[in-house]
Amino acid sequence: MNFDRVIGQEEAKTRLRQLVEEDRIPHALMFTGPKGCGKMAVALAFASFLLGERWEGKSLLARQAAITNAEAMLAKWQHPDLHFSYPAIKPKGSGSDTKITSDDFAKEWRQMLSRGPYFSLEEWMTFMRAENQQAVIFEAESDRLSRKLNMKAILGGYKVSLIWLPERMNLTCANKLLKLLEEPPQKTVFLLVSEQPELLLETIRSRVQTFAMQRIGEGDIAQALTQRQGLAPEDAHRIARIASGDWLKALEEIDAGNENTEFFALFVTLMRKAFTKDVKALKAWSQTASDYGREKQKRFIAYMLQMIRENFMYNFHDPRLCYMTQTEENFAKNFAPFINERNVMLFQKRLQLMMRDIGQNANGKIQFFNFALETTLYLRK
């Protein structure tokens, strides 16, 4: 995958180019940064370059035939010296002794990569046909990596181990990976892509060079929306501003059937039924919300937190402070006055507590119904 497919991030590209030109490529590099900034896209492009793909006309391979061969394999993500590790699930019916590795979902992984280098854990869960299972990098993964990376590179160059979301390794897997990082196999580069690096073992973090990335520039997102998605410039700029440097969010905004549209409708229903104190309707609302899987419940709570914030800021009548779609803004014109200095913190604290409790497996139906009833009181303040 060429760096041309990476949106913005010119500073990151320059820094990586310097590492190569100065022959300072670390044996372990961890890409971090805000959600949707393109960490995985940059890691994929860098892995491709290390394995022979041309970058601005230059390749680490000497022979033209080898370069052409490497690029053909990388186009299908089937290079024999590129080893992916990522969270996986145990299929239903699996026994406790079933060993799960990334190889078990290689077909689904390549299908997702073929759609582009920007994706989320939620999308990956969909590709795996996961339901309420937790995606984990299991112990068997580190055994698989150790076995493969201790073999000689098949094409004679680098071997690259690209680990997506290493914070999802279980403890046994993490400790075994630590040993690999302490004594890396010859000519091997580890590329870790982490959303929550603070969850990794401190000993792992101390053995990787952190490559911190920034949000994508608003102008870069607007340009990509125009060139890649065919949006009119004025629409592209509005969405780029709402996205706040998150390409995944920008894509969600242009998808008419996206999850946020569903969440917005549910949020509006809650506020209208709470204002009229329609307890029967609020009970039905809580049932709908609790029918979501646990991860989706948390995303909905996060969306409500965002909407409370945006409606409160709308009262200041400064467009620079608000980040809403046109539909959300139309609703805010009448609703925003009901979110004020007397209740905004009540909403915020209650939703944050709810997020914590849902994360700890609290009963979703009770949580959402209690919040709905409390909302009838908050809106009167």
Side-chain angles (χ1 to χ4, degrees):
M1 187 195 109
N2 197 280
F3 271 98
D4 290 343
R5 295 180 64 189
V6 176
I7 299 169
Q9 298 297 356
E10 295 305 318
E11 180 185 349
K13 296 175 189 176
T14 299
R15 287 160 57 201
L16 288 173
R17 190 180 295 112
Q18 288 175 341
L19 288 177
V20 175
E21 291 173 351
E22 297 170 8
D23 196 23
R24 292 189 298 109
I25 300 173
H27 81 278
L29 198 59
M30 180 166 68
F31 295 86
T32 65
K35 175 180 172 290
C37 71
K39 300 181 290 295
M40 188 61 169
V42 170
L44 287 167
F46 192 52
S48 297
F49 176 67
L50 292 176
L51 293 170
E53 186 166 72
R54 281 166 287 199
W55 183 4
E56 296 183 343
K58 298 179 181 179
S59 171
L60 295 185
L61 300 178
R63 294 185 302 108
Q64 181 60 44
I67 296 171
T68 302
N69 187 35
E71 290 181 336
M73 290 185 290
L74 287 166
K76 298 180 180 179
W77 297 114
Q78 292 181 336
H79 194 291
D81 296 320
L82 175 59
H83 306 287
F84 288 110
S85 297
Y86 37 81
I89 59 170
K90 282 194 174 184
K92 284 188 173 182
S94 300
S96 58
D97 59 341
T98 302
K99 297 183 182 297
I100 300 296
T101 71
S102 297
D103 284 345
D104 294 307
F105 293 93
K107 179 181 178 182
E108 292 83 356
W109 179 254
R110 291 193 183 103
Q111 285 176 344
M112 186 173 70
L113 287 181
S114 69
R115 296 178 57 177
Y118 294 86
F119 48 83
S120 64
L121 177 60
E122 290 73 27
E123 289 178 78
W124 174 228
M125 296 292 277
T126 300
F127 270 90
M128 288 193 292
R129 296 179 176 83
E131 294 178 359
N132 287 327
Q133 300 112 306
Q134 290 289 324
V136 177
I137 301 179
F138 297 97
E139 175 184 355
E141 186 67 25
S142 54
D143 296 332
R144 164 187 168 269
L145 271 183
S146 180
R147 184 175 64 256
K148 289 191 174 184
L149 296 178
N150 278 299
M151 297 171 65
K152 291 184 64 175
I154 294 176
L155 297 187
Y158 279 107
K159 292 171 290 182
V160 177
S161 170
L162 200 163
I163 306 174
W164 182 54
L165 304 184
E167 59 269 27
R168 288 193 168 250
M169 292 185 293
N170 66 21
L171 185 58
T172 304
C173 180
N175 282 320
K176 289 186 176 182
L177 175 66
L178 177 60
K179 292 182 180 179
L180 279 174
L181 293 175
E182 289 174 335
E183 300 177 15
Q186 187 177 15
K187 202 77 171 174
T188 297
V189 176
F190 291 90
L191 302 179
L192 284 66
V193 182
S194 177
E195 292 286 351
Q196 297 176 289
E198 69 278 3
L199 298 182
L200 277 166
L201 294 177
E202 175 59 35
T203 45
I204 288 181
R205 282 184 283 158
S206 67
R207 283 167 175 77
V208 301
Q209 181 173 321
T210 299
F211 192 88
M213 292 173 53
Q214 306 299 316
R215 295 180 183 276
I216 305 173
E218 188 175 308
D220 291 323
I221 288 185
Q223 183 179 27
L225 288 171
T226 301
Q227 295 178 349
R228 303 185 186 195
Q229 303 295 324
L231 267 65
E234 58 272 19
D235 294 332
H237 282 290
R238 182 182 180 88
I239 290 176
R241 187 169 177 277
I242 293 171
S244 299
D246 182 343
W247 177 248
L248 294 176
K249 186 173 182 180
L251 292 180
E252 289 175 359
E253 294 298 333
I254 63 175
D255 180 5
N258 66 71
E259 189 174 72
N260 279 2
T261 300
E262 179 183 354
F263 288 165
F264 172 70
L266 207 55
F267 177 80
V268 170
T269 298
L270 168 64
M271 295 305 162
R272 287 176 174 166
K273 299 305 179 183
F275 184 77
T276 60
K277 297 184 178 180
D278 188 340
V279 176
K280 184 177 179 180
L282 291 176
K283 186 177 181 181
W285 177 90
S286 63
Q287 180 65 61
T288 300
S290 64
D291 283 343
Y292 291 150
R294 199 162 298 278
E295 291 301 318
K296 190 171 182 179
Q297 288 177 14
K298 291 193 288 186
R299 295 197 300 275
F300 177 46
I301 295 170
Y303 177 81
M304 289 194 288
L305 272 165
Q306 177 191 341
M307 288 302 294
I308 293 298
R309 183 263 178 202
E310 297 301 337
N311 277 271
F312 179 68
M313 299 308 293
Y314 188 85
N315 293 314
F316 293 93
H317 304 292
D318 186 344
R320 295 172 300 176
L321 300 176
C322 296
Y323 297 87
M324 291 187 282
T325 65
Q326 188 63 61
T327 302
E328 291 167 345
E329 191 173 315
N330 290 340
F331 176 68
K333 290 175 182 178
N334 295 318
F335 175 69
F338 292 96
I339 305 299
N340 51 61
E341 66 279 0
R342 296 182 299 278
N343 63 15
V344 64
M345 292 307 298
L346 293 173
F347 272 115
Q348 294 276 349
K349 290 179 180 179
R350 183 65 183 86
L351 285 166
Q352 288 166 357
L353 181 63
M354 193 172 162
M355 177 79 81
R356 185 203 68 184
D357 291 343
I358 291 291
Q360 295 177 352
N361 295 322
N363 185 293
K365 188 172 183 179
I366 294 175
Q367 290 290 318
F368 282 108
F369 187 52
N370 285 346
F371 174 66
L373 293 178
E374 290 169 29
T375 298
T376 66
L377 303 176
Y378 296 162
L379 292 178
R380 301 290 174 175
K381 292 185 180 293

